[in-house]
């Protein structure tokens, strides 16, 4: 059961006429999402309707929606998972023409009043679903438990990852590439990683690889006098390069690789073409669960007599814009299709808005709880099958901890505390994985009956024959002796 | 890269090999299968049934390096190829151990429970190889074997210079088939099933596809060989504010003088040589055997009389 605390705040002049009760009042809406025959998820939207306070009114006097959002954020105490929706009058100038919903960077949104409550409710429900979770996102998160062949999104879901950023320079004689990666990571990448630090821990590595070529030869296109890589040759680029990345030495955790390829002078400029033959403006592509590659073209020098190697200072902002966009996609934070009257505030340097983080957290929490139950069930089935596995004490305590954390996570979800629910689910997953993958649980004890007979019979049968015969003889002699004394008497 | 290779590895550098560090597939010495890019992860005595099952199920001690692990997730396609001596329901490891088809099926089921594979292709080249895939019960597994139950798999041709057979027939023809595949190839699994008919292989290769959800006609060879990944063009970018001041690095500057590092003491060789070998199997304690023989001798002499003792001693 998932509970979302929502607050709907009416600015003066926007209150619809047909409210069932005077403000402030509470309302609860429940929706059932049926994942499969045995699993349903209930979502409760606990809505509080109230009118604005004086400070909020002052904030809503701002000139643009962006400033209003920033001012309102300071006034809220929005915890993870909660939403605040402000309803402004229909003729308000905060929202531009034609836009009726503005979604901010944090956890609030501005909605233009609709006139009557029913239409407003529909609009609000649409908005809450965008900002928290939809039926499809929950079903996709639980897709592992729905074994019907449908593939869910390819997002990475590990708790600790390494980001490897690399420059591939196949032609160091012509280009001497310098990139200030440390500064770029501090400025642009670290804020995004800090925002995502709830979801996963990251470490960032970087290297420059020389004489590393793409495995594919680009075609020369006479019309644009440039080299082109077509979309269907892109899948073959990654494997030859990956062997040289050395990611196995870097860390034990899953690695996301971001490569910047500076084409050789003889192959410059190099553009990537999509399936329709149009060139891609980012000049980059990515592979789910692996990372991304961007091609960085160096301008040919003005005078042909320029001394080689050319000094190349990589424009880190352009590169980081693409890398961070790829990172978002690899994490499953894609922009869903929204109706045209919605306006989304760009999250700026932080990379993702608070409510996008909430969406990730809802999906991850549900998925974690499902994973824990599957893991522990299969562990129990393993123990049923192989009777003589020994469970050590620490494995048992991990199992208990996993169960307790999973129950806590479900309780917190039903209460609407997303942060503690996510933490509890993370603990549950870690404990259950540690219990399941404990090295001591290996079962090498399968002995088919015919092999048991085949081994032990040749060993014991010849020994047993004289023993059994002798025992029989002893028993017969003892019986005879018992009879004789009676005879003698 | 993503290949875990377990090899007894005693042939390429064997003193009998006239061309050291090479293993050819045919006596014409055209294809060196032990080339530069072969990385052996588990060699000689590390190739045990236990290590193999640990790699498959993921129950590895935490000190194992990354290259020795199977880092697969629910979107990975896994190819498992096993070859050696085998029989009805087992495969021999290193002349001392066997892995049975039931253990293998259970290991695959545990992999499925933890979603460690999306699809799995299992190829086995041993005598009576089809018996090894009889017991599989997890979904999404396709299996090929070089011979049916009751048949032997034969080797290809001997190289009289070395004195051994270089490769098995099924492996040789599969290798020949795969050498023609390039990353963009559209060949499907049905072609792989046709490799090495009875006229070439003398044994009848078998395959099992009932656990596999897709039709083998639609499964490309490159789904399992060649590591061809799915890619998407990146069409979105985010907009970054160029003038954002960077964070000062949050780590405090390390101002303590660190002592110069030196190598740790290497383990003395003499200690290693005289180390007792680790007891691996449980043997019955000596007392049991002694007790058994004492019992036998007692019963013998009780039955037949003590006068026979002097004939023994």
């Amino acid at each position: 059961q998932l509970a979302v605390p929502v607050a709907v705040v009416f600015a003066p002049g926007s209150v619809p006429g047909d409210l069932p009760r005077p403000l402030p009042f509470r309302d609860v809406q429940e929706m059932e999402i049926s994942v499969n025959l045995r699993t349903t998820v209930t979502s409760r939207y606990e809505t509080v309707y109230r009118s604005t306070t004086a400070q909020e009114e002052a904030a809503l006097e701002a000139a643009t929606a962006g400033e209003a959002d920033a001012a309102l954020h300071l006034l809220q105490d929005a915890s993870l998972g909660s939403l605040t929706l402000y309803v402004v009058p229909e003729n308000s100038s905060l929202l531009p023409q034609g836009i009726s919903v503005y979604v901010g960077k944090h956890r609030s949104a501005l909605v233009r009043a609709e006139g009557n409550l029913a239409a407003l409710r529909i609009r609000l429900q649409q908005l809450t679903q965008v900002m928290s979770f939809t039926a499809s996102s929950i079903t996709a998160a639980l897709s592992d438990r729905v074994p019907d062949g449908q593939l869910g999104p390819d997002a990475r879901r590990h708790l600790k990852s390494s980001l490897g950023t690399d420059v591939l320079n196949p032609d160091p004689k012509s280009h001497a590439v310098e990139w200030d990666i440390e500064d770029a990571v501090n400025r642009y990448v670290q804020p995004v990683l800090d925002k995502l630090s709830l979801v996963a821990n990251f470490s960032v590595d970087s290297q420059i690889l020389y004489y590393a070529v793409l495995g594919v030869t680009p075609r020369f296109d006479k019309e644009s006098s440039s080299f082109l890589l077509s979309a269907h040759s892109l899948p073959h680029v990654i494997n030859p390069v990956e062997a040289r990345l050395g990611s196995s030495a870097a860390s034990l955790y899953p690695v996301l690789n971001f490569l910047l390829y500076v084409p050789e002078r003889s192959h410059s400029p190099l553009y990537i073409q999509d399936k329709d033959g149009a060139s891609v403006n980012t000049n980059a592509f990515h592979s789910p669960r692996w990372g991304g590659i961007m091609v960085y073209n160096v301008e040919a020098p003005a005078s042909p007599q320029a001394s080689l190697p050319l000094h190349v200072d990589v424009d880190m902002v352009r590169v980081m814009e693409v890398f961070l966009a790829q990172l978002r996609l690899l994490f499953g934070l894609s922009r869903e299709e929204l109706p045209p009257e919605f306006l989304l505030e760009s999250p700026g340097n932080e990379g993702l808005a608070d409510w996008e983080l909430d969406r990730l957290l809802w999906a991850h929490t549900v998925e974690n709880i499902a994973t824990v139950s599957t893991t522990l069930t299969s562990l129990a089935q393993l123990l049923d099958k192989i009777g003589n596995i020994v469970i050590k004490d620490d494995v048992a305590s991990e199992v208990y901890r996993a169960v307790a954390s999973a129950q806590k996570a479900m309780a917190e979800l039903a209460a609407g505390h997303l942060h503690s629910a996510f933490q509890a689910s993370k603990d549950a997953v870690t404990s259950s994985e540690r219990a399941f993958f404990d090295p001591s649980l290996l079962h090498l004890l399968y002995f088919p009956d015919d092999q048991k007979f085949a081994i032990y019979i040749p060993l014991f049968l010849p020994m047993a024959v004289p023993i059994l015969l002798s025992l029989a003889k002893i028993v017969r002699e003892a019986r005879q002796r018992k009879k004789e004394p009676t005879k003698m008497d | 890269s993503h290949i875990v290779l377990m090899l007894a590895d005693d042939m390429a550098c064997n003193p009998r090999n006239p061309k050291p560090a090479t293993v050819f597939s045919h006596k014409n010495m055209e294809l060196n299968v032990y080339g530069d890019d072969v990385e052996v992860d588990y060699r000689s005595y590390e190739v045990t049934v236990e290590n193999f099952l640990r790699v498959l199920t993921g129950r590895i001690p935490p000190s194992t390096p990354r290259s020795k692990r199977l880092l697969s997730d629910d979107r990975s396609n896994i190819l498992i190829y096993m070859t050696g001596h085998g029989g009805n329901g087992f495969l021999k490891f290193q002349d001392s151990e066997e892995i049975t088809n039931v253990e293998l099926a259970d290991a695959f089921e545990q992999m499925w429970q933890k979603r460690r594979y999306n699809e799995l292709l299992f190829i086995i080249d041993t005598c009576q190889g089809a018996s090894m895939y009889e017991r599989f019960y997890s979904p999404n597994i396709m299996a090929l074997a070089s011979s049916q139950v009751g048949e032997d798999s034969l080797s290809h041709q001997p190289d009289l210079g070395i004195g051994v057979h270089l490769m098995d027939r099924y492996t040789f023809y599969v290798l020949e088939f795969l050498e023609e595949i390039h990353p963009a190839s559209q060949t499907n699994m049905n072609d792989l099933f046709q490799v090495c008919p009875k006229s070439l292989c003398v044994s009848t290769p078998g395959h099992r596809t009932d656990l596999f959800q897709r039709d083998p006609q639609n499964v490309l060879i490159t789904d399992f060989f060649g590591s061809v990944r799915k890619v998407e063009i990146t069409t979105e970018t985010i907009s970054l504010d160029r003038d954002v001041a960077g964070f000062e690095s949050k780590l405090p500057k390390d101002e303590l003088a660190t002592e110069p590092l030196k190598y740790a003491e290497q383990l003395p060789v003499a200690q290693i040589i005289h180390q007792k070998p680790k007891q691996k199997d449980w043997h019955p304690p000596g007392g049991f055997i002694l007790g058994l023989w004492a019992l036998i001798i007692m019963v013998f002499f009780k039955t037949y009389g003590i006068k026979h003792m002097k004939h023994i001693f």
Side-chain angles (χ1 to χ4, degrees), chain A residues 46-47 55 77 88 120 122 130 142 151 242 259 284 295 406 430 441 449 457:
Chain A
E46 297 167 352
T47 325
Q55 289 163 322
D77 57 344
V88 293
L120 186 63
I122 296 177
V130 165
L142 290 175
L151 294 183
E242 192 184 1
L259 271 54
V295 178
T430 321
L441 285 178
D449 285 333
I457 282 186

Side-chain angles (χ1 to χ4, degrees), chain A residues 79-281:
Chain A
S79 58
L80 244 64
S82 66
L83 294 172
T84 319
L85 309 173
Y86 294 93
V87 185
V88 293
E90 263 185 76
N91 49 4
S92 158
S93 58
L94 261 188
L95 299 171
Q97 276 288 37
I99 302 287
S100 43
V101 178
Y102 165 85
V103 179
K105 271 203 285 201
H106 304 284
R107 293 188 175 90
S108 53
L110 303 175
V111 184
R112 204 189 282 276
E114 292 279 322
N116 58 347
L117 189 60
L120 186 63
R121 273 226 171 112
I122 296 177
R123 176 73 76 201
L124 289 179
Q125 192 180 56
Q126 210 181 19
L127 185 55
T128 40
Q129 289 210 337
V130 165
M131 289 175 81
S132 59
F133 52 84
T134 58
S136 61
S137 73
I138 295 291
T139 321
L142 290 175
S143 63
D144 277 342
R145 301 180 91 200
V146 183
D148 59 356
Q150 289 172 350
L151 294 183
D154 266 344
R156 188 149 276 248
R157 293 189 196 128
H158 295 278
L159 296 174
K160 191 161 162 54
S161 280
S162 253
L163 286 181
T165 51
D166 315 293
V167 173
L168 301 178
N169 186 357
D171 197 7
K173 285 203 283 286
S174 310
H175 302 130
V177 178
E178 285 202 8
W179 71 338
D180 193 1
I181 182 69
E182 203 176 328
D183 181 60
V185 165
N186 274 343
R187 276 193 193 196
Y188 305 118
V189 180
Q190 200 58 44
V192 181
L193 297 185
D194 286 340
K195 197 81 183 278
L196 282 173
S197 62
L198 251 190
V199 180
N201 273 330
F202 289 96
S203 61
V204 184
D205 300 308
S206 74
Q207 59 173 326
I208 303 186
L209 276 179
Y210 295 105
Y211 292 107
V213 291
L214 297 179
V216 183
T217 319
R219 286 183 305 116
F220 181 67
D221 184 38
K222 281 206 197 55
E223 290 168 6
S224 53
S225 69
S226 60
F227 288 85
L228 298 174
L229 268 182
S230 58
H232 61 80
S233 59
L234 294 178
H236 311 135
V237 166
I238 296 183
N239 195 31
V241 159
E242 192 184 1
R244 306 206 43 198
L245 286 179
S247 46
S248 62
S251 88
L252 269 185
Y253 299 104
V255 181
L256 279 177
N257 301 293
F258 293 102
L259 271 54
L260 184 68
Y261 182 72
V262 180
E264 303 138 316
R265 193 131 172 276
S266 52
H267 282 308
S268 290
L270 180 61
Y271 296 108
I272 298 181
Q273 266 187 337
D274 64 11
K275 287 192 297 289
D276 309 319
S279 62
V280 177
N281 60 344

Side-chain angles (χ1 to χ4, degrees), chain A residues 455-471, chain B residues 284 288-297 299-300:
Chain A
I455 290 177
Y456 288 120
I457 282 186
L459 214 52
F460 289 121
L461 194 58
M463 240 196 296
V465 168
I467 292 183
L468 289 173
L469 289 177
S470 310
L471 281 171
Chain B
F288 176 70
I289 302 284
L290 284 178
L292 199 58
W293 280 107
L295 173 68
I296 293 171
I297 292 179
V299 170
F300 177 77

